[in-house]
Amino acid sequence: MMNDTLTSDVIGRRVEVNGEHATVRFSGVVPPMAGLWLGVEWDNPERGKHDGSHERTVYFKCRHPTGGSFIRPNKVNFGVDFLTAIKNRYALEDETEEEGKEQIVTIGNKPVETIGFDSVVKQQSQLSKLQEVSLRNCAVNGPGDKGGIAKACPNVRSIDLSKNLLSSWDEVVDIADQLKHLEVLNLSENKLKFPSGSPPPTGTFSALKVLVLNRIGITWTEVLHCASRCPVLEKLYLESNGIVISERPTDVLQTVKLLDLSSNQLIDENQLFLIAYMPRLEQLILSDIGLASIHFPDAGIGCKTSMFPSLQYLVLNDNRISQWSSINELDKLQSLHALSCTRNPLTESSKDAQTTRQFIIARIGQLRTLNKCAIQREERRGAELDYRKAFGNEWKKAGGHQDPDKNRPNEEFLAAHPRYQSLCLKYGAPEDGELKVQQPFLLKNQLLTLKIKHPNQLDQKVIEKQLPESMTIQKVKGLLSRLLRVPVSELLLSYESPKMPGREIELENDQQSLQFYSVENGDCLLVRW
């Protein structure tokens, strides 16, 4: 806290008032009110009352018409330095009775009386051993005395400084300069002022591998500026910053393996091309950026793109992807093995999530994990066979043929189904008998209400499910595999019917439907593993 006789320059300082954070924009007199006032702009504009004006006089400006307030200095918390915060959080707080007693120690030849000497030694020892430090929301405002951090806690490797009162990147640098082993730094929810101009030589963050800068209002240019001082950076988190990717990173971000750009709604497909050649990027998180489509213009049908050469895991949750063409494009990525693509129009509009999953698997040949669920060999085989069958009639109409010499589907079909021809080579072209009478998948009159029992697992409850009679045994196994968390390859299915008491019929052909085996309403599926 500061008193009403505040005289130091406080403009730009970060402050906390009753749990709310703000930035000081004005310090002075506000007539006709007596005394000194601070004008603050709140992080949460709903906390304020005005735009920095009072009785038609503008004292400071806010980005929001209700983002400002005038507050007495003694109501404001300017925070504490890093060293004070770390001592408050981690140092010994309670002395024992023995430690508090007067003791005699010898320094040189002189006996010296001390109080709590052991406590001081233990406190210093405790701080020097710290490797992971969490000071989230501890009102940290800067480094404190020069060299104090390096002396007190030189072995710190991970710091959470999120939601504090740091006001500039220079303050962060002053802290990091004293921590030569720092590998993980979280600065989320700090409103930092970043330097402009050329960065100084690398070294301050020489060991830093993980940098978290979520919700701090940083720009892409500032990201590149700061990251240029991190020569071994591997993970960079930039969620909810309103970032526009404005330039290609050259000589920076070259070691980054994970990049999180979630909830930056101004990023579009063309901006992603600017980061497409980061050589070591293995994981890219693009959740909730409003992405509607994906296209790699450098690669034709059936070819691999040169973009994102090392990308193994892509997250596209909560976007606006609605066309299968975007899923087809992902098959062009050289190294993609895992994809998360939930809560998109493409995946939400279909009432049959299992079929959507199967089609994604079939369209991306090298995928091993979809939506954090491993793709077993049996599931891929079933997905590709079902996909091949589902679009068989369309393939034939487009010029497809069982005779390889006559098999020439048109360009429109090949663009819509780039992998179809390779699936025909893998499994053979679909026969006419497979393609007869394709009925709608989820008509209400085709739903079967079935009980599901587990004869060998007495602790498993009997459940009831509604399944389409046209559902293949492979898809039933896939559903049960996720429900029971048992690999598809270990599941054995059979069923019994009230019409045939005492008789159990095995469901042994994965490509046949429930209807094929004459499964009816009220029958009971038996699941063993």
Side-chain angles (χ1 to χ4, degrees):
M1 298 290 180
M2 289 194 177
N3 58 35
D4 285 335
T5 61
L6 181 69
T7 57
S8 60
D9 183 13
V10 296
I11 305 302
R13 291 278 299 274
R14 297 283 293 159
V15 295
E16 181 264 330
V17 184
N18 296 327
E20 296 277 359
H21 287 190
T23 303
V24 178
R25 302 296 186 198
F26 168 82
S27 174
V29 178
V30 183
M33 300 178 289
L36 187 65
W37 292 88
L38 295 179
V40 300
E41 182 179 9
W42 300 99
D43 291 2
N44 174 16
E46 295 179 2
R47 175 68 174 78
K49 298 179 179 179
H50 51 71
D51 62 356
S53 303
H54 180 66
E55 294 187 355
R56 298 184 181 180
T57 299
V58 178
Y59 292 91
F60 62 98
K61 293 183 179 180
C62 293
R63 286 168 294 180
H64 193 278
T66 62
S69 294
F70 291 108
I71 298 178
R72 293 293 190 187
N74 63 353
K75 301 293 185 183
V76 171
N77 177 15
F78 279 84
V80 297
D81 62 69
F82 181 93
L83 202 51
T84 299
I86 207 169
K87 287 179 178 178
N88 289 344
R89 182 73 189 271
Y90 291 97
L92 296 172
E93 295 180 356
D94 297 313
E95 295 180 352
T96 64
E97 187 176 337
E98 287 297 317
E99 288 168 346
K101 286 183 178 179
E102 194 174 274
Q103 299 180 45
I104 306 295
V105 298
T106 302
I107 299 177
N109 295 321
K110 285 188 175 182
V112 179
E113 295 182 359
T114 66
I115 296 178
F117 186 80
D118 284 352
S119 176
V120 174
V121 173
K122 286 186 178 180
Q123 183 186 88
Q124 292 173 342
S125 174
Q126 185 174 342
L127 292 178
S128 68
K129 291 177 182 177
L130 279 178
Q131 293 191 14
E132 294 188 14
V133 172
S134 177
L135 295 177
R136 176 175 170 81
N137 205 15
C138 288
V140 176
N141 62 14
D145 294 338
K146 188 174 182 179
I149 297 173
K151 185 177 180 181
C153 43
N155 295 309
V156 170
R157 282 169 166 74
S158 174
I159 304 176
D160 182 355
L161 277 172
S162 59
K163 205 171 185 180
N164 276 287
L165 301 181
L166 298 167
S167 58
S168 76
W169 182 253
D170 289 339
E171 292 168 350
V172 176
V173 170
D174 288 343
I175 292 171
D177 261 337
Q178 303 181 58
L179 299 170
K180 302 305 180 185
H181 304 292
L182 187 63
E183 296 180 359
V184 180
L185 177 59
N186 186 350
L187 295 169
S188 300
E189 299 175 82
N190 284 285
K191 301 292 183 184
L192 300 175
K193 182 179 179 181
F194 292 90
S196 57
S198 300
T202 57
T204 298
F205 301 97
S206 58
L208 194 69
K209 295 180 179 179
V210 181
L211 180 57
V212 187
L213 301 174
N214 297 334
R215 297 177 294 282
I216 66 170
I218 195 170
T219 67
W220 183 247
T221 300
E222 290 165 348
V223 168
L224 299 184
H225 180 92
C226 297
S228 66
R229 303 188 66 169
C230 308
V232 296
L233 188 65
E234 295 182 358
K235 297 181 181 181
L236 179 58
Y237 297 86
L238 299 169
E239 180 183 331
S240 302
N241 280 302
I243 282 175
V244 173
I245 301 175
S246 53
E247 59 184 293
R248 184 172 170 174
T250 53
D251 301 323
V252 65
L253 304 184
Q254 301 302 294
T255 57
V256 169
K257 296 180 180 180
L258 181 153
L259 178 61
D260 184 355
L261 292 168
S262 298
S263 302
N264 287 288
Q265 294 280 336
L266 300 177
I267 292 177
D268 60 26
E269 180 185 5
N270 291 326
Q271 292 176 41
L272 295 179
F273 296 154
L274 293 173
I275 60 170
Y277 297 97
M278 293 169 59
R280 299 186 187 178
L281 185 63
E282 297 176 357
Q283 299 183 54
L284 180 58
I285 305 174
L286 299 175
S287 296
D288 187 34
I289 65 169
L291 193 65
S293 64
I294 298 171
H295 181 51
F296 301 111
D298 66 322
I301 296 171
C303 300
K304 296 297 183 182
T305 177
S306 62
M307 299 183 186
F308 300 103
S310 302
L311 188 64
Q312 298 178 21
Y313 180 34
L314 178 62
V315 181
L316 296 171
N317 300 334
D318 300 294
N319 277 295
R320 297 191 289 114
I321 295 170
S322 59
Q323 301 296 322
W324 283 109
S325 58
S326 292
I327 303 299
N328 292 339
E329 288 292 303
L330 297 181
D331 190 53
K332 295 180 179 180
L333 291 167
Q334 300 174 34
S335 307
L336 188 69
H337 294 150
L339 172 69
S340 287
C341 190
T342 60
R343 298 180 297 279
N344 279 270
L346 183 67
T347 57
E348 297 299 299
S349 60
S350 172
K351 294 180 180 178
D352 181 18
Q354 176 64 15
T355 296
T356 301
R357 177 180 170 86
Q358 300 290 76
F359 283 0
I360 292 174
I361 292 171
R363 289 172 186 265
I364 307 177
Q366 71 274 27
L367 210 59
R368 298 175 190 167
T369 304
L370 177 57
N371 299 330
K372 298 185 177 181
C373 183
I375 301 168
Q376 304 294 338
R377 185 175 62 179
E378 295 85 354
E379 184 181 16
R380 171 161 291 284
R381 183 175 185 277
E384 292 177 341
L385 285 169
D386 284 351
Y387 177 81
R388 165 182 158 278
K389 179 178 178 181
F391 295 97
N393 283 327
E394 190 178 326
W395 168 74
K396 286 190 67 178
K397 289 177 184 177
H401 199 281
Q402 282 90 357
D403 184 344
D405 295 331
K406 299 178 181 180
N407 182 22
R408 297 186 185 88
N410 60 35
E411 289 185 9
E412 185 180 355
F413 179 85
L414 293 176
H417 305 280
R419 291 200 72 230
Y420 198 89
Q421 290 288 78
S422 65
L423 294 180
C424 288
L425 289 173
K426 185 175 182 179
Y427 300 107
E431 299 293 335
D432 290 342
E434 294 181 77
L435 306 179
K436 288 181 180 178
V437 194
Q438 289 190 344
Q439 298 180 4
F441 197 71
L442 272 179
L443 293 176
K444 288 186 178 179
N445 60 359
Q446 289 182 311
L447 287 177
L448 304 174
T449 301
L450 305 174
K451 292 180 180 178
I452 300 176
K453 294 182 180 178
H454 319 85
N456 298 342
Q457 311 290 330
L458 299 179
D459 58 330
Q460 294 277 358
K461 294 181 180 179
V462 176
I463 58 176
E464 195 172 89
K465 284 281 183 185
Q466 285 192 320
L467 304 177
E469 62 180 13
S470 56
M471 194 173 193
T472 64
I473 304 307
Q474 176 69 35
K475 287 185 178 179
V476 174
K477 285 183 176 179
L479 176 69
L480 293 172
S481 172
R482 285 186 294 282
L483 194 67
L484 302 170
R485 298 186 177 181
V486 176
V488 170
S489 57
E490 296 182 16
L491 294 178
L492 298 173
L493 292 189
S494 59
Y495 85 98
E496 55 188 15
S497 171
K499 295 180 180 179
M500 299 178 288
R503 185 180 174 189
E504 187 175 328
I505 300 169
E506 290 187 16
L507 305 176
E508 54 190 5
N509 190 334
D510 285 354
Q511 304 311 312
Q512 296 294 357
S513 66
L514 293 172
Q515 185 181 32
F516 174 85
Y517 284 104
S518 302
V519 179
E520 298 179 350
N521 252 331
D523 288 352
C524 182
L525 289 181
L526 303 174
V527 189
R528 295 180 174 88
W529 64 90

